[in-house]
Amino acid sequence: MPGRPGGPDHGGYERAAEAIAAGVRGAGPEEVPGRLCTVVVGLLPVDGASASLRTEDMPVPLGASSARAAYLAQLQATLGDGPCQWVLRSGEPVLASDLESARSRNRWPVFAQQAVAAGVRAVHALPLGSDRLCVGTLDLYRGTPGALTDGQLRVARLAAGMITVALMALPHGEEDEYRGSEPWLSGLAADHDTIHQAVGMIMAQLGVGAADALARLRGDAFAQGRTARDVAGDVVAHRRRFDSP
C-alpha cells in the first residue's frame, strides 16, 4: 500500500524491523502482543491483526489491533475453525485472499460467512514458533480481497518472528514472583480457566466427555451470537445449564 512506512517493495524490510522494535519499546509485558499487532497493521496493506496462543483445546487470544480483529480471533476460537485453526493444526501459513471464493467457503463455510458479514474479505494467518513447533498464530485481516506480495509476506514473517521472540522473552511465573508482580498471562489464563471449568460442569450435567462438552459450549455460543468465553462465564456463574431447557 503506497505511503506506508515499511513498504517492502521500496526496500522497507529494515525499516519494518526498526518500526516493530520501536513499536514495543517501553511496553509492559501485557502490552507487547497488542502493540505488535498495531504495528503490523501500519506496515502492511491490512486493516487488522490479532495474535493467539496455542493450547490443547482452543486458542487463547493474546492481543489485537482493534475490536473487530479481537472479534475475529474470538470467532475462530468459538467455532473451532478458520485460518487460525488450520495453521495450529498444520504449522503452515494459510493465505486466504478472498473469503467469498468457492475454496474459502468450502474450507470454512461458517467462519467465511461470519467474517464477511463482519466486513472482512481476506485473512492471512502465519504460525508463531519454529519449524518444529507452532505455539500460536498471527492473523492479518483485510476488508477487501487481495493477496500479499512476496515482500509483504517477508515483513509479515518478520513480525511473526518478533512476536515469537517477544513472547519467549516475556516474564514467566518465577520471574514475576521475584519482581513482586502478576504473571504476564494471568488475565488470559483466568479466561481460559473459566472455559475449562465450564467444560467440566457441562460434562457433569450431560454425562459426556470433554470433547463433546466443548462442542456443546461452542455450539451454544454460536447459536446465541456470543463467544465461547462469554457463555463459559454464564455456566460457571450458574446462569446457564445444559441439562435443562
Side-chain angles (χ1 to χ4, degrees):
M1 184 172 288
R4 290 210 167 172
D9 294 332
H10 296 80
Y13 187 83
E14 291 185 2
R15 291 195 298 276
E18 293 171 357
I20 290 172
V24 298
R25 190 171 296 128
E30 70 285 352
E31 300 176 287
V32 170
R35 280 209 194 181
L36 285 168
C37 288
T38 300
V39 172
V40 169
V41 173
L43 294 172
L44 296 171
V46 299
D47 303 302
S50 65
S52 298
L53 186 69
R54 180 179 188 171
T55 65
E56 291 183 1
D57 40 30
M58 66 171 60
V60 178
L62 292 172
S65 63
S66 65
R68 182 166 67 171
Y71 166 74
L72 268 293
Q74 286 285 356
L75 178 64
Q76 294 185 82
T78 297
L79 294 175
D81 200 14
C84 168
Q85 297 283 341
W86 281 47
V87 171
L88 293 177
R89 288 194 288 266
S90 69
E92 299 292 333
V94 173
L95 309 175
S97 58
D98 188 357
L99 291 178
E100 289 201 317
S101 69
R103 185 184 184 196
S104 291
R105 288 189 174 275
N106 288 335
R107 292 170 93 181
W108 316 293
V110 179
F111 170 76
Q113 179 186 37
Q114 295 292 312
V116 170
V120 174
R121 285 290 302 275
V123 179
H124 304 296
L126 290 84
L128 304 179
S130 66
D131 292 339
R132 295 182 178 180
L133 179 64
C134 174
V135 299
T137 66
L138 169 64
D139 300 326
L140 308 173
Y141 310 104
R142 288 173 57 115
T144 57
L148 298 178
T149 67
D150 289 343
Q152 290 163 349
L153 276 174
R154 284 195 295 272
V155 172
R157 289 190 177 100
L158 169 67
M162 295 192 74
I163 290 176
T164 300
V165 171
L167 291 176
M168 296 304 102
L170 286 171
H172 293 67
E174 292 180 0
E175 296 175 44
D176 286 326
E177 288 177 8
Y178 175 75
R179 297 176 185 179
S181 60
E182 292 292 325
W184 72 277
L185 275 176
S186 59
L188 298 172
D191 286 341
H192 205 60
D193 287 346
T194 299
I195 291 174
H196 277 289
Q197 187 177 352
V199 167
M201 293 172 68
I202 296 169
M203 290 170 64
Q205 291 168 13
L206 300 179
V208 299
D212 287 339
L214 179 58
R216 291 291 298 270
L217 175 66
R218 281 173 156 157
D220 192 74
F222 177 69
Q224 297 184 54
R226 305 175 67 200
T227 67
R229 180 182 62 185
D230 290 339
V231 174
D234 284 350
V235 173
V236 171
H238 302 285
R239 293 189 295 266
R240 174 73 172 96
R241 292 187 63 92
F242 281 73
D243 57 355
S244 60

